[in-house]
Amino acid sequence: MDPNALSLDTLLGPWRVVRFQGQGSYGAVYRVEREAPTGDGPFALKLALHPLDPRFEREGELLSRIRHPHVPRLLDRGWRVLSGGVPFPYLVMEWVEGTPLYAWAAQQERTSRQVCQLLAQVARALEATHAVEGVHRDVKGDNVLVRQDGSAVLTDLGSGCYRGAETLTHQFPPPGTPQYQSPECQRFQWEARHLPRARYEAQPADDVYALGVTAYRLVVGKYPPECVAMKQTEEGFQFVPVEPVAPERQVRLSPELAALIRQMLSDEPSFRGSAAEVAQALEHAAKRSGPWADQPIRPVSEPVPDGMARVSKDAESPVDESPPPVSVPVSEGPEHRLRSLRSERTAVRGLMAAASVCLLLGGVWWMESQVAWETYPGESESLGGLTDAGPLNAASEVASQSEQNTVNLDVPQKPFPGQGLPPCEKHEVEINKGCWVRSADKTPPCGIRSYAWRNSCYSPILQLGRPPSSVQP
């Protein structure tokens, strides 16, 4: 259908076309008003470009299930019969006046606190979508509008799906934008490349990963590096870990925001946290971060702004020096929830900052409405007191590399997700039912990249191997 086929004043049910707004791959958007003015307009009418397009039925059904201030509200759906008697489906939603997220960022300087607030609202929209057993499948800055009041709206659920919905895509690639696809989605496409009936089932963790990519591009100005890589071996192609480039190596931003971006981009889906957990973490960061969260996000190559003084954690008094650029190492450890942290308090006494807690232990999430952002040696004997007191300000205290080397994490009681299991190879050691390799020249404390066992340091063996010859569709 020609998107300009609807002229001004055309009626579709009670909706009168005011102007043509634009078009995408599957639909054209018009600004409309009610035929009988009620003073509550304008509205957005999305008309299919293809007759009987089932995507519109699915998008309308998903929107009808969601009631959230950061998701457009569905008002009506119906059919427009054009010449020849061919029906084209349409949807009517509330009109969202706003600027796409990346364009908004290009127009003004943004701070870590502003970014946390906006991303928290998008995460809440995803929480509402996942609560009705739906997935967005195309989370990106182009589909987030920033209103004039600074609030964010997650739009364009045309690629969305929900449990029980009809399958519309029967071939690769799956719906969505390639740069935002999760590692597990990319691996599936490789492993099932020869299986025409294989279909990737998107999960909420895919939306969270896409939100992490959105956050990274929002603060850095470009996409993060490729999340998966492969190398050719004698046994065929194998997946290999990719060293992530932390956003704080590119730009100055608050440690809390940097840690959460890395967490959302975790290779292991369970480490990312749910959309609700991410939203709560971002809200805490927006509320509790220190003064550095109000500074513009700028490249690390630029000088520190004059007058920025670090705050003493003891006396709340300014210290006559500017804080260095944030530099927090990327964790390779497992996810530890607050319950396990309380029982392993010796493993975190050496942590000096919020980002260190989140990353050294593989991601601490606000699972019980509070999070311990930082633990200073000698200040607390357990995380219980910190949890009761709420998150602390860690923006002005970043652990140095020498301090990180004092951290000593014990080998966990069970293998990590994806870790190699016995029988182990000759050069490997079986510990607590998992396969490990010993760091021959290293003794505890082992730092952040290995784990202590009987006065030696070990690293887990990842179970990569050859892609399977068959994949369940």
Side-chain angles (χ1 to χ4, degrees):
M1 187 200 72
D2 180 1
N4 295 301
L6 299 184
S7 59
L8 296 184
D9 294 329
T10 298
L11 283 177
L12 289 87
W15 311 103
R16 184 185 302 276
V17 174
V18 176
R19 72 165 183 257
F20 170 70
Q21 192 67 24
Q23 76 173 91
S25 300
Y26 302 103
V29 178
Y30 300 84
R31 184 167 176 151
V32 299
E33 295 177 346
R34 293 186 189 271
E35 183 181 11
T38 58
D40 58 348
F43 306 95
L45 185 145
K46 185 176 179 181
L47 179 65
L49 297 179
H50 308 283
L52 302 172
D53 191 339
R55 293 177 183 83
F56 274 67
E57 180 180 356
R58 191 171 63 185
E59 180 180 2
E61 176 60 28
L62 181 55
L63 281 170
S64 70
R65 300 181 180 190
I66 303 173
R67 293 287 187 273
H68 196 272
H70 298 295
V71 177
R73 180 168 51 95
L74 180 69
L75 299 169
D76 192 14
R77 44 183 166 170
W79 299 86
R80 170 66 174 178
V81 179
L82 300 181
S83 58
V86 180
F88 290 77
Y90 69 82
L91 305 172
V92 180
M93 297 166 277
E94 67 172 309
W95 181 269
V96 179
E97 192 72 47
T99 304
L101 183 62
Y102 299 145
W104 170 85
Q107 294 171 3
Q108 59 188 330
E109 289 188 319
R110 64 270 185 219
T111 68
S112 296
R113 199 179 308 278
Q114 287 177 312
V115 170
C116 286
Q117 291 168 344
L118 286 172
L119 294 177
Q121 293 170 357
V122 179
R124 289 298 182 191
L126 288 176
E127 176 191 8
T129 304
H130 300 163
V132 297
E133 299 186 300
V135 284
H136 189 284
R137 299 202 296 185
D138 199 19
V139 179
K140 57 183 179 181
D142 298 329
N143 289 337
V144 175
L145 294 180
V146 182
R147 290 186 170 120
Q148 192 170 9
D149 62 3
S151 62
V153 180
L154 179 61
T155 66
D156 196 356
L157 277 73
S159 297
C161 193
Y162 53 89
R163 184 182 294 275
E166 179 185 359
T167 300
L168 303 180
T169 304
H170 296 276
Q171 67 282 332
F172 291 141
T177 305
Q179 292 90 336
Y180 297 81
Q181 289 178 343
S182 67
E184 56 269 28
C185 177
Q186 295 189 35
R187 292 190 188 102
F188 181 92
Q189 293 180 65
W190 167 258
E191 294 168 350
R193 64 193 182 281
H194 299 308
L195 303 175
R197 297 182 60 84
R199 178 176 177 270
Y200 181 74
E201 295 284 351
Q203 302 298 319
D206 292 274
D207 283 346
V208 174
Y209 183 87
L211 181 61
V213 176
T214 301
Y216 190 102
R217 182 176 170 186
L218 178 61
V219 300
V220 176
K222 59 184 179 182
Y223 290 114
E226 293 290 335
C227 58
V228 295
M230 293 195 308
K231 68 176 182 179
Q232 188 171 11
T233 67
E234 294 180 355
E235 297 181 351
F237 286 97
Q238 290 183 332
F239 291 108
V240 294
V242 176
E243 181 68 23
V245 178
E248 65 271 22
R249 297 182 186 176
Q250 310 288 326
V251 293
R252 286 189 176 92
L253 71 168
S254 71
E256 297 92 337
L257 175 57
L260 289 169
I261 291 175
R262 286 195 299 273
Q263 194 72 34
M264 287 186 282
L265 293 177
S266 174
D267 184 78
E268 171 58 45
S270 63
F271 292 176
R272 299 170 200 155
S274 67
E277 292 163 351
V278 171
Q280 191 174 20
L282 289 164
E283 289 163 356
H284 273 279
K287 182 178 180 181
R288 302 297 183 93
S289 293
W292 262 90
D294 296 313
Q295 295 302 306
I297 298 174
R298 292 174 178 169
V300 294
S301 58
E302 292 188 9
V304 177
D306 294 336
M308 273 305 298
R310 184 164 55 86
V311 177
S312 168
K313 64 182 175 65
D314 295 322
E316 294 291 337
S317 58
V319 177
D320 190 19
E321 65 178 79
S322 296
V326 175
S327 178
V328 183
V330 176
S331 171
E332 296 178 354
E335 180 187 40
H336 288 279
R337 301 183 186 275
L338 293 178
R339 291 188 297 273
S340 62
L341 284 174
R342 294 190 182 102
S343 63
E344 297 179 11
R345 53 192 178 183
T346 57
V348 295
R349 290 179 182 173
L351 301 184
M352 296 296 293
S356 298
V357 173
C358 291
L359 297 172
L360 295 178
L361 300 183
V364 178
W365 290 99
W366 285 262
M367 299 300 295
E368 299 172 2
S369 78
Q370 298 291 341
V371 163
W373 269 114
E374 58 184 348
T375 303
Y376 294 99
E379 289 190 355
S380 175
E381 287 298 317
S382 71
L383 288 178
L386 288 177
T387 303
D388 295 338
L392 302 179
N393 173 24
S396 60
E397 295 292 339
V398 180
S400 67
Q401 185 62 43
S402 61
E403 290 165 337
Q404 293 156 9
N405 287 339
T406 65
V407 175
N408 191 45
L409 301 178
D410 294 330
V411 169
Q413 296 301 312
K414 58 182 180 179
F416 300 145
Q419 183 178 356
L421 304 178
C424 304
E425 298 292 335
K426 291 183 179 180
H427 66 284
E428 300 169 0
V429 179
E430 179 182 345
I431 304 175
N432 293 343
K433 300 182 180 180
C435 294
W436 298 75
V437 62
R438 183 187 174 200
S439 302
D441 58 345
K442 199 169 187 180
T443 59
C446 299
I448 63 172
R449 299 187 182 276
S450 54
Y451 298 78
W453 175 262
R454 296 181 179 176
N455 204 35
S456 295
C457 298
Y458 294 84
S459 298
I461 297 295
L462 299 180
Q463 196 172 26
L464 299 175
R466 179 186 299 175
S469 58
S470 62
V471 177
Q472 291 294 331

